[in-house]
Amino acid sequence: MQLVTEDNITELAAARWASAHDPRTAELLSALVRHLHAFAREVRLSETEWMAAMRWLTETGQISDEKREEFILASDVLGLSMLVVQMNHAFDAKATPATVLGPFHIDGSPEKEFGGDMSDGLPGTPLYVTGTVTGLDGSPVTGAVLDVWQADEEGAYESQIPGIDEARLRAKYTSRADGAYCLRTIAPKGYSIPMDGPVGELIGGTDISHFRPAHVHFLINAAGYEPLITHLFQEGAEYLDSDVVFGTKQELVVTFEPREPGPTPDGGHCAEPWLEARYDFVLQPV
């Protein structure tokens, strides 16, 4: 019988998990065991602290559902999400950089026409986002699907609002033959991440800002190109330098230019003052 000691427990546990039938699973889990044990040794983890961590993980699972991904939020604020993005999306310097997906993306957004309004009458300053989708060589990407979503004027996403049964501030747009796209929404606002759960409780015990700068999310898919998950941030917005999920990149900061009532980029007309943001997305070939 093998006697377990503080000195041999790590190698015993790692060896057991290295028996996983899938080689990658064996590599991941045996490495996880070693790193977890190294952490516990480094900080001399107490039983009380261990139990607090188990309760925190339990509560994180309990508050999560199909509309709230508290574990993704935890990964975001710990910087893990951005680290994984950086390691897995080493795009060409010409390509639009990737950033985090975030916990509030919802599949199945409705399709909108060129210049279609995804704000659908919600209060806020009208914002048109327009530009092109191209490859690294500047050639237009036809038929790229831009899945777009954002928070409202109160900083809330659709999934955070009880009783919402229809798509709200989210839609899909398709680039034209010349790569052009155009969407209408409302100017986003900076907002706090959810602070009513385990992640918020953890953040509340620190000096970390729990706010994100104003931004619009994009998930772009096109045949022959790597999927792109990214944001556009408003130039001059608060919290650009302290984004709680580490998602800000200078290349993604754009000016929201004020416009007077009149013609809009989609060939229409806006009867009130509006904003225009221009951005050309550059995709990485597969």
Side-chain angles (χ1 to χ4, degrees), residues 229-253:
I229 298 170
T230 196
H231 303 2
L232 293 183
F233 297 92
Q234 182 179 8
E235 184 179 53
E238 288 187 275
Y239 317 116
L240 283 173
D241 295 328
S242 60
D243 183 2
V244 66
V245 306
F246 307 96
T248 310
K249 294 187 176 183
Q250 185 58 48
E251 301 95 324
L252 301 175
V253 177

CSV table of all heavy atoms in Angstrom, one decimal, residues 229-253:
chain,number,residue,atom,x,y,z
A,229,ILE,N,-13.5,37.9,-32.8
A,229,ILE,CA,-14.3,38.4,-31.7
A,229,ILE,C,-13.6,39.6,-31.2
A,229,ILE,O,-12.4,39.6,-30.8
A,229,ILE,CB,-14.3,37.4,-30.5
A,229,ILE,CG1,-15.0,36.1,-31.0
A,229,ILE,CG2,-15.0,37.9,-29.3
A,229,ILE,CD1,-14.9,34.9,-30.0
A,230,THR,N,-14.3,40.8,-31.2
A,230,THR,CA,-13.6,42.0,-30.9
A,230,THR,C,-14.6,43.0,-30.4
A,230,THR,O,-15.8,42.7,-30.3
A,230,THR,CB,-12.8,42.5,-32.1
A,230,THR,OG1,-11.9,43.5,-31.7
A,230,THR,CG2,-13.8,43.1,-33.2
A,231,HIS,N,-14.2,44.2,-30.0
A,231,HIS,CA,-15.0,45.3,-29.6
A,231,HIS,C,-14.6,46.6,-30.4
A,231,HIS,O,-13.5,46.6,-30.9
A,231,HIS,CB,-14.8,45.7,-28.1
A,231,HIS,CG,-15.0,44.7,-27.1
A,231,HIS,ND1,-15.3,43.4,-27.3
A,231,HIS,CD2,-14.9,44.8,-25.7
A,231,HIS,CE1,-15.4,42.7,-26.1
A,231,HIS,NE2,-15.2,43.6,-25.2
A,232,LEU,N,-15.5,47.6,-30.4
A,232,LEU,CA,-15.1,48.9,-30.7
A,232,LEU,C,-15.4,49.8,-29.5
A,232,LEU,O,-16.5,49.8,-29.0
A,232,LEU,CB,-15.8,49.4,-31.9
A,232,LEU,CG,-15.5,48.8,-33.3
A,232,LEU,CD1,-16.3,49.4,-34.4
A,232,LEU,CD2,-14.1,48.7,-33.6
A,233,PHE,N,-14.3,50.5,-29.1
A,233,PHE,CA,-14.4,51.4,-27.9
A,233,PHE,C,-14.5,52.9,-28.3
A,233,PHE,O,-13.9,53.3,-29.3
A,233,PHE,CB,-13.2,51.2,-27.0
A,233,PHE,CG,-13.0,49.8,-26.4
A,233,PHE,CD1,-12.3,48.9,-27.1
A,233,PHE,CD2,-13.6,49.5,-25.2
A,233,PHE,CE1,-12.1,47.6,-26.6
A,233,PHE,CE2,-13.4,48.2,-24.7
A,233,PHE,CZ,-12.7,47.3,-25.4
A,234,GLN,N,-15.3,53.6,-27.5
A,234,GLN,CA,-15.4,55.1,-27.8
A,234,GLN,C,-14.2,55.8,-27.4
A,234,GLN,O,-13.8,55.7,-26.2
A,234,GLN,CB,-16.7,55.6,-27.2
A,234,GLN,CG,-16.9,57.1,-27.5
A,234,GLN,CD,-18.2,57.7,-26.9
A,234,GLN,OE1,-18.8,57.0,-26.1
A,234,GLN,NE2,-18.5,58.9,-27.3
A,235,GLU,N,-13.6,56.6,-28.3
A,235,GLU,CA,-12.5,57.4,-27.9
A,235,GLU,C,-12.9,58.4,-26.8
A,235,GLU,O,-13.9,59.0,-26.8
A,235,GLU,CB,-12.0,58.2,-29.1
A,235,GLU,CG,-10.7,59.0,-28.9
A,235,GLU,CD,-10.3,59.7,-30.1
A,235,GLU,OE1,-11.1,60.4,-30.7
A,235,GLU,OE2,-9.1,59.6,-30.5
A,236,GLY,N,-12.0,58.5,-25.8
A,236,GLY,CA,-12.3,59.5,-24.7
A,236,GLY,C,-13.2,58.9,-23.6
A,236,GLY,O,-13.5,59.6,-22.6
A,237,ALA,N,-13.7,57.7,-23.8
A,237,ALA,CA,-14.6,57.1,-22.8
A,237,ALA,C,-13.8,56.9,-21.4
A,237,ALA,O,-12.6,56.7,-21.4
A,237,ALA,CB,-15.1,55.8,-23.3
A,238,GLU,N,-14.6,56.9,-20.4
A,238,GLU,CA,-14.0,56.6,-19.1
A,238,GLU,C,-13.6,55.1,-19.0
A,238,GLU,O,-14.2,54.3,-19.7
A,238,GLU,CB,-15.1,56.8,-17.9
A,238,GLU,CG,-15.3,58.3,-17.6
A,238,GLU,CD,-16.2,58.4,-16.4
A,238,GLU,OE1,-17.4,58.4,-16.6
A,238,GLU,OE2,-15.7,58.6,-15.3
A,239,TYR,N,-12.7,54.8,-18.2
A,239,TYR,CA,-12.3,53.4,-17.9
A,239,TYR,C,-11.5,52.7,-19.0
A,239,TYR,O,-11.2,51.5,-18.9
A,239,TYR,CB,-13.5,52.5,-17.5
A,239,TYR,CG,-14.4,53.2,-16.6
A,239,TYR,CD1,-15.7,53.5,-17.0
A,239,TYR,CD2,-14.1,53.6,-15.3
A,239,TYR,CE1,-16.7,54.1,-16.2
A,239,TYR,CE2,-15.0,54.3,-14.5
A,239,TYR,CZ,-16.3,54.5,-14.9
A,239,TYR,OH,-17.2,55.1,-14.1
A,240,LEU,N,-11.1,53.5,-20.1
A,240,LEU,CA,-10.3,52.8,-21.1
A,240,LEU,C,-9.0,52.3,-20.5
A,240,LEU,O,-8.5,51.2,-21.0
A,240,LEU,CB,-9.9,53.8,-22.2
A,240,LEU,CG,-11.1,54.1,-23.2
A,240,LEU,CD1,-10.6,55.3,-24.1
A,240,LEU,CD2,-11.5,52.9,-24.0
A,241,ASP,N,-8.4,52.9,-19.5
A,241,ASP,CA,-7.1,52.5,-19.0
A,241,ASP,C,-7.3,51.6,-17.8
A,241,ASP,O,-6.3,51.1,-17.2
A,241,ASP,CB,-6.3,53.7,-18.5
A,241,ASP,CG,-5.9,54.6,-19.7
A,241,ASP,OD1,-5.7,54.1,-20.8
A,241,ASP,OD2,-5.8,55.8,-19.5
A,242,SER,N,-8.5,51.3,-17.4
A,242,SER,CA,-8.7,50.4,-16.2
A,242,SER,C,-9.8,49.4,-16.5
A,242,SER,O,-10.5,48.9,-15.5
A,242,SER,CB,-9.1,51.2,-15.0
A,242,SER,OG,-10.3,52.0,-15.2
A,243,ASP,N,-10.0,49.0,-17.8
A,243,ASP,CA,-11.1,48.0,-18.1
A,243,ASP,C,-10.9,46.8,-17.2
A,243,ASP,O,-9.9,46.1,-17.2
A,243,ASP,CB,-10.9,47.6,-19.6
A,243,ASP,CG,-12.0,46.7,-20.1
A,243,ASP,OD1,-12.9,46.3,-19.3
A,243,ASP,OD2,-11.9,46.3,-21.2
A,244,VAL,N,-12.0,46.4,-16.5
A,244,VAL,CA,-12.0,45.4,-15.5
A,244,VAL,C,-11.7,44.0,-16.1
A,244,VAL,O,-11.2,43.1,-15.5
A,244,VAL,CB,-13.3,45.3,-14.7
A,244,VAL,CG1,-14.5,44.9,-15.6
A,244,VAL,CG2,-13.2,44.4,-13.5
A,245,VAL,N,-11.9,43.8,-17.4
A,245,VAL,CA,-11.7,42.5,-18.1
A,245,VAL,C,-10.4,42.6,-19.0
A,245,VAL,O,-10.2,41.7,-19.8
A,245,VAL,CB,-12.9,42.0,-18.9
A,245,VAL,CG1,-14.1,42.0,-18.0
A,245,VAL,CG2,-13.2,42.8,-20.1
A,246,PHE,N,-9.7,43.7,-18.9
A,246,PHE,CA,-8.4,43.8,-19.7
A,246,PHE,C,-8.6,43.8,-21.2
A,246,PHE,O,-7.7,43.4,-21.9
A,246,PHE,CB,-7.4,42.7,-19.3
A,246,PHE,CG,-7.2,42.6,-17.8
A,246,PHE,CD1,-7.9,41.7,-17.0
A,246,PHE,CD2,-6.2,43.4,-17.2
A,246,PHE,CE1,-7.6,41.6,-15.6
A,246,PHE,CE2,-6.0,43.4,-15.8
A,246,PHE,CZ,-6.7,42.5,-15.0
A,247,GLY,N,-9.8,44.2,-21.7
A,247,GLY,CA,-10.1,44.0,-23.1
A,247,GLY,C,-9.7,45.2,-24.0
A,247,GLY,O,-9.8,45.0,-25.2
A,248,THR,N,-9.3,46.3,-23.5
A,248,THR,CA,-9.1,47.5,-24.3
A,248,THR,C,-7.8,47.4,-25.1
A,248,THR,O,-6.7,46.9,-24.5
A,248,THR,CB,-9.0,48.8,-23.4
A,248,THR,OG1,-10.1,48.8,-22.6
A,248,THR,CG2,-9.0,50.0,-24.3
A,249,LYS,N,-7.8,47.7,-26.4
A,249,LYS,CA,-6.6,47.8,-27.2
A,249,LYS,C,-6.7,49.1,-28.0
A,249,LYS,O,-7.8,49.5,-28.5
A,249,LYS,CB,-6.5,46.6,-28.1
A,249,LYS,CG,-6.3,45.3,-27.4
A,249,LYS,CD,-6.0,44.2,-28.4
A,249,LYS,CE,-5.7,42.9,-27.6
A,249,LYS,NZ,-5.4,41.8,-28.6
A,250,GLN,N,-5.6,49.8,-28.1
A,250,GLN,CA,-5.6,51.1,-28.8
A,250,GLN,C,-6.1,51.0,-30.2
A,250,GLN,O,-6.8,51.9,-30.7
A,250,GLN,CB,-4.2,51.7,-28.8
A,250,GLN,CG,-4.1,53.1,-29.4
A,250,GLN,CD,-4.9,54.1,-28.7
A,250,GLN,OE1,-4.9,54.1,-27.4
A,250,GLN,NE2,-5.7,54.9,-29.4
A,251,GLU,N,-5.9,49.9,-30.9
A,251,GLU,CA,-6.3,49.7,-32.3
A,251,GLU,C,-7.8,49.7,-32.4
A,251,GLU,O,-8.4,49.8,-33.5
A,251,GLU,CB,-5.7,48.5,-32.9
A,251,GLU,CG,-4.2,48.4,-32.9
A,251,GLU,CD,-3.6,47.7,-31.8
A,251,GLU,OE1,-4.2,47.8,-30.6
A,251,GLU,OE2,-2.6,47.0,-31.9
A,252,LEU,N,-8.5,49.4,-31.3
A,252,LEU,CA,-10.0,49.3,-31.3
A,252,LEU,C,-10.7,50.5,-30.8
A,252,LEU,O,-11.9,50.5,-30.7
A,252,LEU,CB,-10.4,48.1,-30.5
A,252,LEU,CG,-9.8,46.7,-30.9
A,252,LEU,CD1,-10.1,45.6,-29.9
A,252,LEU,CD2,-10.2,46.4,-32.3
A,253,VAL,N,-10.0,51.6,-30.5
A,253,VAL,CA,-10.6,52.8,-30.0
A,253,VAL,C,-10.9,53.7,-31.2
A,253,VAL,O,-10.0,54.0,-32.0
A,253,VAL,CB,-9.6,53.5,-29.0
A,253,VAL,CG1,-10.2,54.9,-28.5
A,253,VAL,CG2,-9.3,52.6,-27.8
